[in-house]
Amino acid sequence: MARWGWAALRVAGSAALVAVLVVVAPQQLPSGASTASASTLISSGLATPEALAFDASGDLFIANYGDNELSVYPRVSGTLFGVPVTAGTLTTIVSGSATSGIFGLAFDAAGNLYWSSYGGNDVYVLPAASGTIFGHAVTKDTPYQLVTGLSTPTRVRFDSAGNLYIANYGNSSVSVLPVATGTLFGESVTADTVSTLVSGAPLNGPYGLGFDSAGNLYIANFGGNTVTVLPKASGTVFGQSVTANTMSTLVSTTLANPDGIGFDSAGNLYITNYGNSTITVDPVSTGVLFSVYVTQDTPQPLITSGLAGPAANVAFDSSGNLYVSNYSNGTLSVFWKESLTNVPVVSSGLNDPEQLAVDASGDVFVANNANNDIVVFPAVTGTLFGVSVTAGKPAIILSSSAVVAPYGLAIDPSGNLYWSNNGGQVYVLPAASGTVFGHAVTKDTPYELISTGLSVPTRLAFDSSGDLFITQGGANSLSVLPSATGTLYGQSVTADTLTTLVSSGLSNPYGLVVDASGNVYVGNRGSNTVTVL
């Protein structure tokens, strides 16, 4: 079972770090007054970045308006559009006249990359393969001027049929380049020919464009501080009655120079506000988004700090993490998607909460260090470890002499709950009577599994084999309680016997997580590093 050797990952912008942060960054219980916080993914090499777009492989492309460059932040090393790239290293893909005033950015279904030129009044395409695009012969990896004669175009977007839409700030209109002759939003269009789709009020300096899953077109009006919708069919959109092919104002509050539109996989509408460096959300349902409690069909500020002139669309990766480019300071921020979507608004009942654990049913357990108890936020009504619980209502699962300043918390594959105490013990609360690590245990009755050999055990984590890993803040070490006799990370271990795996190189280890491949990550509070075993 030999796995990775030791490596220390210093906190910095790198592809390796991004992978670690997704799993290591601690989730916090949401509060009605809280807002999401940003991590800076790219802090140098950008100049007034305007737009973002992910390709199908998860590589992040950036319209670098200030440098007249198209850049990429690759997910893996290789070649993109004929340019060698290294994972986690910002690389210029195109520069020069083709990217002069680059502003909007979008991929079509074939992987071709399009951008608008704010000053050049045109749209370019960077083909993924040689062939024909909108009736034009193009060459692989060679920029091609596809559209001319626009009016300070800001953003470009594709609908699900492959039609290209362009927002024109200069004359408050939206143009379309259709893939086929026919009708779009009630207007007759001709294949491969640019035409004006909508213009005039309620449009006012349109910047952002976006489509929901139903094919409705949303437009962020930078000059009017509104978001307009052009519906495909009559009905209701975000609680508002709309008429097919007729523009109407959907959002008119909490906006300040809105310049970007984005949708997550659930259909929530996100709007970037350049004027006050915030992001507004119009939710499709009541619940928690990025640690903020939101109400269905009610536009409200979602992110109010950590941004600096957010530009263009928000972009989402496959995990639901939100990326925003900051025009004003040349950085790129990322907001990690919380996984605790069933957690109610919590502003009381916690006191120095330490580690969290989620069971297979979605119930969230919290080690309440200063209160000497373990709290659960149940996903459903029923009974947990002999305690009656109500969905969405916090309940104390355990408060006894077995819980003394608890730090670590974990649930094994069988649903047994484990915690570590400041005094050096590890307890288990069994989900069923039987044997746990060689000890006879009784259902719903705390059992002291480890009483000696630990010094301030801070975090607990299980791998897929049921081995229990324990970080020790007092000894700056990592131990394991193996489920079977054999070899772990090149070291002989005995079933049900505590073994020290690492005794040097750690510094006040508090973060601990095991990925699906069995790699163990340790966050060192003392040295601001993440160590990988």
Side-chain angles (χ1 to χ4, degrees), residues 8 35 61 130 165 194 197 223 240 258 317 330 392 450 463 498 518:
T35 57
F61 289 78
S130 298
Y165 296 76
V194 176
L197 184 69
Q240 182 171 315
D317 63 20
I450 301 175
D463 63 13
L498 188 67

Side-chain angles (χ1 to χ4, degrees), residues 10 33 79 107 158 228 254 282 295 345 404 473 498 500:
R10 181 70 58 180
T79 302
F107 278 95
F158 283 93
T228 302
T254 78
D282 198 349
T295 303
V345 179
V404 181
L498 188 67
T500 299

Side-chain angles (χ1 to χ4, degrees), residues 97-104 115-124 152-153:
S97 60
T99 48
S100 178
I102 185 171
F103 218 77
W115 63 88
S116 58
S117 171
Y118 187 83
N121 296 320
D122 50 21
V123 171
Y124 275 81
T152 52

Side-chain angles (χ1 to χ4, degrees), residues 141-191:
D141 303 334
T142 304
Y144 182 86
Q145 189 182 37
L146 190 66
V147 180
T148 60
L150 300 171
S151 180
T152 52
T154 47
R155 309 296 181 221
V156 288
R157 269 295 171 277
F158 283 93
D159 63 16
S160 59
N163 303 300
L164 175 62
Y165 296 76
I166 307 161
N168 293 288
Y169 178 81
N171 61 9
S172 289
S173 69
V174 175
S175 302
V176 65
L177 181 58
V179 293
T181 299
T183 303
L184 287 173
F185 293 100
E187 297 291 327
S188 296
V189 296
T190 303

